[in-house]
């Protein structure tokens, strides 16, 4: 009788300790500044995109750097899309629209971030953010910088985990895997790290396990008292 009760308590103790799955969300940001603002391109001739390798399981924001090109052109909304894979032809995961302020500086590095609804992605997978716009008002900053007089490229590949696509006005940015061109961009996301804070379901399992252990120990105590009485 005593052996069976002890064995039951030991097995309950094992379940309560082995079952918990701990998780704690952490935030990651990929930020790439490929150019200093010397180069920017409009989207008038078609969409442009930037591929990247995800560090996270959910994306919460994406940002690009813009410059004001032509004040006489309309301030039309940008369409932002997230596609699977590298390039402009992948399957669409998400799309939204945003409008830039009426006036921003004509030079420099002007970040504008777009909030995302915690988009589910896979760590290590490649995705592409694509921007579309029909106006010549704003340009998107990219790099590497280039000598405008000689055409000499003044920098290397700022981000090997992805590249820019559809940059029509700069022939040294081909839509091939060999391209070293990147937009100035940043992507923020979250992922869960094991071994930190118990999830609610884990707490419930632990409490139930401890309750069962307590009941078994109380029964063992009563059985011991009867045997020794």
């Amino acid at each position: 009788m005593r052996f069976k009760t002890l064995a039951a308590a030991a097995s309950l103790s094992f379940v309560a300790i082995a079952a918990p799955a701990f998780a704690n969300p952490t935030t990651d940001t990929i930020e790439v500044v490929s150019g200093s603002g010397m180069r920017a391109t409009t989207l008038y001739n078609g969409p442009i995109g930037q591929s990247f390798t995800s560090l996270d399981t959910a994306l919460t924001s994406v940002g690009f750097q813009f410059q004001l090109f032509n004040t006489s052109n309309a301030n039309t909304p940008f369409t932002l899309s997230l596609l699977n894979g590298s390039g402009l032809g992948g399957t669409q995961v998400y799309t939204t629209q945003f409008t830039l302020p009426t006036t921003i500086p004509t030079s420099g590095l002007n970040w504008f971030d777009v909030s995302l609804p915690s988009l589910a992605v896979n760590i290590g997978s490649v995705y592409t953010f694509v921007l579309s716009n029909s106006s010549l008002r704003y340009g998107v900053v990219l790099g590497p910088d280039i000598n405008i007089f000689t055409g000499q490229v003044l920098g290397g590949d700022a981000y090997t985990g992805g590249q820019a696509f559809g940059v029509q006005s700069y022939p040294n940015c081909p839509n091939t895997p060999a391209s070293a061109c990147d937009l100035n961009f940043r992507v923020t996301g979250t992922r869960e790290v094991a071994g930190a804070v118990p999830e609610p379901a884990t707490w419930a399992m632990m409490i139930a396990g401890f309750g069962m252990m307590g009941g078994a120990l109380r029964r063992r105590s009563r059985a011991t008292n009867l045997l020794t009485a």
Side-chain angles (χ1 to χ4, degrees), residues 4-24:
K4 290 183 179 179
T5 304
L6 287 170
S11 65
L12 288 171
S13 177
F14 175 79
V15 171
I17 293 172
F22 299 104
N24 183 39

Side-chain angles (χ1 to χ4, degrees), residues 54-224:
S54 178
L55 301 177
D56 303 292
T57 55
L59 304 182
T60 55
S61 72
V62 60
F64 297 92
Q65 290 182 332
F66 296 88
Q67 290 183 6
L68 180 60
F69 271 10
N70 300 285
T71 56
S72 60
N73 281 257
N75 187 18
T76 57
F78 283 81
T79 297
L80 170 71
S81 300
L82 177 65
L83 309 181
N84 273 312
S86 180
L88 303 178
T91 304
Q92 183 173 285
V93 177
Y94 174 77
T95 187
T96 189
Q97 287 192 326
F98 66 94
T99 303
L100 294 178
T102 304
T103 302
I104 64 173
T106 56
S107 62
L109 306 179
N110 309 293
W111 284 107
F112 291 92
D113 297 284
V114 179
S115 295
L116 304 173
S118 195
L119 298 177
V121 290
N122 296 314
I123 295 175
S125 294
V126 177
Y127 300 88
T128 302
F129 274 109
V130 180
L131 291 168
S132 302
N133 190 281
S134 59
S135 176
L136 287 168
R137 184 180 183 86
Y138 293 112
V140 184
V141 180
L142 71 152
D145 292 330
I146 193 170
N147 186 314
I148 60 174
F149 301 105
T150 65
Q152 178 187 2
V153 178
L154 303 178
D157 191 354
Y159 176 61
T160 58
Q163 67 179 90
F165 290 92
V167 183
Q168 309 250 348
S169 53
Y170 294 98
N172 69 319
C173 294
N175 294 332
T176 69
S179 175
C181 288
D182 294 295
L183 304 182
N184 284 10
F185 76 99
R186 59 188 179 197
V187 178
T188 298
T190 59
R191 57 191 166 89
E192 291 189 342
V193 178
V197 179
E199 296 175 337
T202 300
W203 280 117
M205 290 179 64
M206 291 176 66
I207 292 169
F210 287 136
M212 293 172 69
M213 285 177 61
L217 292 174
R218 284 193 298 272
R219 287 193 297 273
R220 176 195 167 199
S221 177
R222 286 196 298 270
T224 301

